[in-house]
Amino acid sequence: TVNSSIIITNPFNGTLSTSGTSYTYMPGTTGTFSVWVTNTENGCLTQRIFSVTSNQTFPTFNIVSPQNFTLGCSSKSIATINFANQQSGSGAPVSFTMLSGTTPVPTTYTLSGNSSFTVNAAGVYTMVGSDNGSGCKSILPITVLDNKFGPHVDTIIVPRTILDCTTPSVTLEGISSTPSVSYVWTYNGTVNLATGTVVVVTKTATPNSASLGTYTIVMTDNNNLCTSTRTVNMYQCLYAPTPSISPQTNKAEISCIDRSIVLNNTSKSTIPTGSIFPNGVAIGNKWSGPSPQIDLLLSSSYTAAVPGLYTLEVKDLGNGCISTVTFNVKDNMIYPSVRIPNPNTTQVDSIRFLDCGTSVLSLSATATIASPRFSWARPEGAPAASTNTAPTFSAQAIGMYFVTVTDPDNGCATTAGVHVKNGKLTVDVQADKETGFAPLDVKFTNNSRSSIDNLGIVSIWNFANGTDLRTNSVTVPANTTYSLAGTYYVKVYINKGTCLDSVIKKITVEVPSVFSIPNVFTPNGDGINDFFFLKTASLESIDAYIFDRWGRLVFKTEGSTTGNISWDGKNASGKDAPDGTYFYIIKAKGKDGKDYDQKGNLSLFR
């Protein structure tokens, strides 16, 4: 057949081929042989089997090889060739040899009883078996093939050679279409992993180290122990960005001038330029601030309207690595303290007075900041002062006045107000005694004052005892003496400017205590001196006891509060006491505090 190839196979696993339409084959021994004819155009095969026999005493044998007449790698780089199933035609032993090359067989060679041979080189060999009895030799050519090809590496799956913060690990996988292949991954020089896959992980402990090492896969064909090797260099890009926040204004603070400030992302990528790594760009991935600020994603700036700590999360688009930075926005919303003190009192009251006809009142404000700006507002219709930007202001009318103090540093302002009213005069006179017994000395204290002070007050005193006094100061003493008992109404008139006032004080003067005892009385019914009568005044209590000359009690009274005690000359039984001398003991206490203790005698005549 045209376009065919011929393959002849003999029992010794020797295969010969050619690409012609005829082939001459010289078997060196008996046996069964097959010829294959292949049509090279369509690949179809046709087989024919033929046998070679002999009537001579040729030895017979088979040639076998555990390595299938094939040389591989490593321990399989040597093939063993054995004579098997050998039989002698004469019954004598068979000797063997293996010659390199094919027929013609050399004329001289050495035979031995060893039926096993080794080869380490591919090629054609001639196997010779000799019958020691007949000397007949059987010759078979064999071919030892060279199969030192490593397994086919179809692909190495490498998702990426550069790991970063977005992809911190990948799986490398080797794939071979060669059957019966084993795999070993080697990395970091010493680690061996008997698998077709290996997981590569970033080294976060050394983020600035770019190399992850060399990963090598060794594929071994288990049939010939030959290997194929592929190497992958792995890298990591863990360079964290340098985070930075810069305020748009010089003062990073919230104030009454700047109610909000803009914070800008000025972060930088640290990925080395000109390296194998992609160029980095540090973006503002997330902004966050104190409540009630709302988080903002993917922005190069952030508006801060609340004092406090702000956080920026920075992400490098080149490797996905994230860094954070904080920034403190200060609180300068500090309002100044302002007051309009009253120079006439220690209190900061909200009312001031135009004192008793005064037409101008000076108002002065104080603030707690270094360089305050003052602004005054006066009531509608009130005359304007000379200036309204100074800390002082002249109020010339009643009404509400306001001063606003502004801090030029932060623009914060505070307002204080004061109500200007017409002043008044208040009389306040106190007496050191309002009651007493004649003669009574009374000292008066003048505590009168106007809405502002107690200066310039004219006082006119009418003491109601026939004396008067005029003073031009409340510090001048006003004293008088009341010699007679009675009730006195002291009138005091005060005057300052257009203000007038007056007051009346009541002084009560009482009679001093009096105690008088008669020494004789005549109880005869003539209406003259019929009673023993005590003349008293202003007594608080009195006890009286009268005894006859023998010491017998003829009259007594105890605890009387009237002082008007009289004895009618009768004894305790109601009968007339006889004429004679009687004795008395009388004790009394005056309302003025004076004590009386009297003992004596009296005469009774009828």
Side-chain angles (χ1 to χ4, degrees):
T1 301
V2 180
N3 296 327
S4 63
S5 62
I6 298 174
I7 298 176
I8 297 177
T9 304
N10 59 44
F12 309 100
N13 204 28
T15 301
L16 302 176
S17 64
T18 185
S19 58
T21 59
S22 63
Y23 181 77
T24 301
Y25 179 67
M26 298 293 294
T29 184
T30 60
T32 302
F33 299 84
S34 63
V35 59
W36 294 84
V37 179
T38 303
N39 189 330
T40 58
E41 291 186 354
N42 58 16
C44 293
L45 297 176
T46 300
Q47 181 188 32
R48 290 292 184 267
I49 297 175
F50 64 94
S51 299
V52 177
T53 61
S54 173
N55 57 5
Q56 301 295 323
T57 57
F58 286 93
T60 61
F61 48 81
N62 293 329
I63 304 298
V64 297
S65 172
Q67 292 80 23
N68 293 323
F69 304 94
T70 301
L71 296 178
C73 301
S74 186
S75 62
K76 292 189 177 183
S77 62
I78 298 176
T80 300
I81 309 298
N82 294 319
F83 287 85
N85 300 321
Q86 61 267 23
Q87 291 183 359
S88 169
S90 65
V94 178
S95 297
F96 309 96
T97 190
M98 182 177 70
L99 303 175
S100 178
T102 59
T103 55
V105 177
T107 58
T108 60
Y109 48 85
T110 301
L111 296 169
S112 69
N114 183 19
S115 63
S116 179
F117 301 87
T118 60
V119 297
N120 57 10
V124 178
Y125 294 86
T126 300
M127 309 302 294
V128 178
S130 176
D131 188 326
N132 293 339
S134 64
C136 292
K137 297 178 176 59
S138 296
I139 301 173
L140 288 177
I142 64 170
T143 300
V144 177
L145 302 179
D146 203 352
N147 183 17
K148 294 184 178 180
F149 298 101
H152 184 267
V153 179
D154 291 289
T155 185
I156 302 296
I157 298 177
V158 183
R160 56 188 303 166
T161 59
I162 299 176
L163 303 184
D164 54 26
C165 295
T166 301
T167 307
S169 66
V170 294
T171 299
L172 308 182
E173 182 179 6
I175 298 176
S176 175
S177 59
T178 302
S180 186
V181 173
S182 60
Y183 304 87
V184 173
W185 276 101
T186 301
Y187 58 97
N188 292 336
T190 58
V191 179
N192 296 315
L193 190 64
T195 179
T197 61
V198 64
V199 179
V200 184
V201 182
T202 56
K203 299 176 181 178
T204 56
T206 55
N208 293 327
S209 176
S211 176
L212 286 174
T214 300
Y215 285 75
T216 301
I217 187 171
V218 180
M219 299 182 183
T220 302
D221 188 336
N222 295 326
N223 292 320
N224 60 9
L225 299 184
C226 293
T227 61
S228 295
T229 302
R230 293 292 186 273
T231 298
V232 180
N233 291 321
M234 296 298 296
Y235 305 90
Q236 69 175 8
C237 181
L238 301 182
Y239 299 97
T242 301
S244 175
I245 298 175
S246 297
Q248 201 168 50
T249 60
N250 293 330
K251 291 185 177 181
E253 62 184 25
I254 302 297
S255 67
C256 297
I257 297 174
D258 297 316
R259 298 286 179 168
S260 64
I261 62 172
V262 175
L263 303 179
N264 293 318
N265 173 28
T266 53
S267 306
K268 302 293 183 182
S269 172
T270 61
I271 297 177
T273 58
S275 64
I276 62 172
F277 303 123
N279 294 330
V281 177
I283 65 167
N285 194 51
K286 180 180 178 182
W287 294 85
S288 58
S291 178
Q293 292 276 154
I294 300 176
D295 293 350
L296 182 62
L297 303 178
L298 302 177
S299 177
S300 61
S301 62
Y302 190 56
T303 300
V306 178
L309 203 62
Y310 286 78
T311 301
L312 170 61
E313 180 183 274
V314 181
K315 182 177 183 179
D316 196 323
L317 294 180
N319 58 10
C321 294
I322 291 176
S323 298
T324 59
V325 63
T326 58
F327 189 87
N328 185 27
V329 175
K330 298 179 180 178
D331 184 2
N332 198 16
M333 294 279 289
I334 302 174
Y335 289 83
S337 176
V338 58
R339 56 192 292 241
I340 307 175
N342 190 336
N344 302 302
T345 178
T346 58
Q347 298 180 350
V348 182
D349 50 44
S350 59
I351 300 177
R352 300 287 300 281
F353 297 95
L354 288 169
D355 191 32
C356 292
T358 303
S359 60
V360 178
L361 175 64
S362 179
L363 303 177
S364 179
T366 60
T368 57
I369 56 177
S371 302
R373 291 201 304 259
F374 296 90
S375 176
W376 289 89
R378 63 185 187 278
E380 186 71 27
S386 58
T387 177
N388 67 343
T389 58
T392 58
F393 190 82
S394 295
Q396 303 179 27
I398 62 174
M400 285 297 299
Y401 289 80
F402 295 95
V403 61
T404 299
V405 175
T406 303
D407 188 341
D409 180 61
N410 61 8
C412 295
T414 303
T415 299
V418 63
H419 192 185
V420 176
K421 296 182 177 182
N422 284 322
K424 60 182 180 179
L425 189 63
T426 302
V427 61
D428 182 7
V429 175
Q430 302 296 327
D432 67 338
K433 305 181 193 70
E434 293 186 355
T435 62
F437 297 91
L440 182 65
D441 293 328
V442 180
K443 296 180 180 180
F444 293 92
T445 301
N446 193 350
N447 296 320
S448 302
R449 62 179 291 114
S450 68
S451 300
I452 300 300
D453 52 35
N454 62 356
L455 303 178
I457 297 177
V458 177
S459 304
I460 299 175
W461 300 78
N462 184 345
F463 297 112
N465 62 353
T467 61
D468 297 321
L469 177 67
R470 175 188 173 96
T471 63
N472 293 325
S473 172
V474 296
T475 60
V476 176
N479 305 328
T480 191
T481 300
Y482 295 94
S483 301
L484 301 176
T487 300
Y488 299 86
Y489 293 92
V490 180
K491 294 184 179 180
V492 184
Y493 301 89
I494 61 173
N495 167 250
K496 181 178 181 180
T498 60
C499 298
L500 296 172
D501 201 358
S502 64
V503 69
I504 296 176
K505 286 292 183 179
K506 180 182 177 181
I507 305 297
T508 302
V509 181
E510 296 182 2
V511 177
S513 63
V514 176
F515 187 81
S516 177
I517 304 173
N519 58 6
V520 65
F521 78 109
T522 58
N524 54 14
D526 61 359
I528 300 173
N529 198 22
D530 286 335
F531 293 92
F532 176 73
F533 183 77
L534 298 180
K535 296 180 180 180
T536 65
S538 299
L539 292 183
E540 187 177 278
S541 64
I542 184 170
D543 298 327
Y545 306 92
I546 300 175
F547 304 89
D548 62 16
R549 59 184 178 176
W550 292 281
R552 292 176 296 191
L553 182 67
V554 296
F555 173 83
K556 76 172 182 177
T557 182
E558 293 178 333
S560 175
T561 59
T562 63
N564 298 323
I565 295 175
S566 64
W567 178 39
D568 59 2
K570 296 183 182 294
N571 59 23
S573 61
K575 296 180 179 181
D576 291 336
D579 293 351
T581 301
Y582 290 84
F583 301 94
Y584 63 83
I585 299 175
I586 300 175
K587 295 182 180 181
K589 185 176 182 62
K591 292 182 179 179
D592 54 2
K594 187 176 181 180
D595 292 326
Y596 298 91
D597 188 356
Q598 299 292 330
K599 297 179 181 179
N601 56 66
L602 62 91
S603 297
L604 185 154
F605 300 102
R606 292 203 181 265

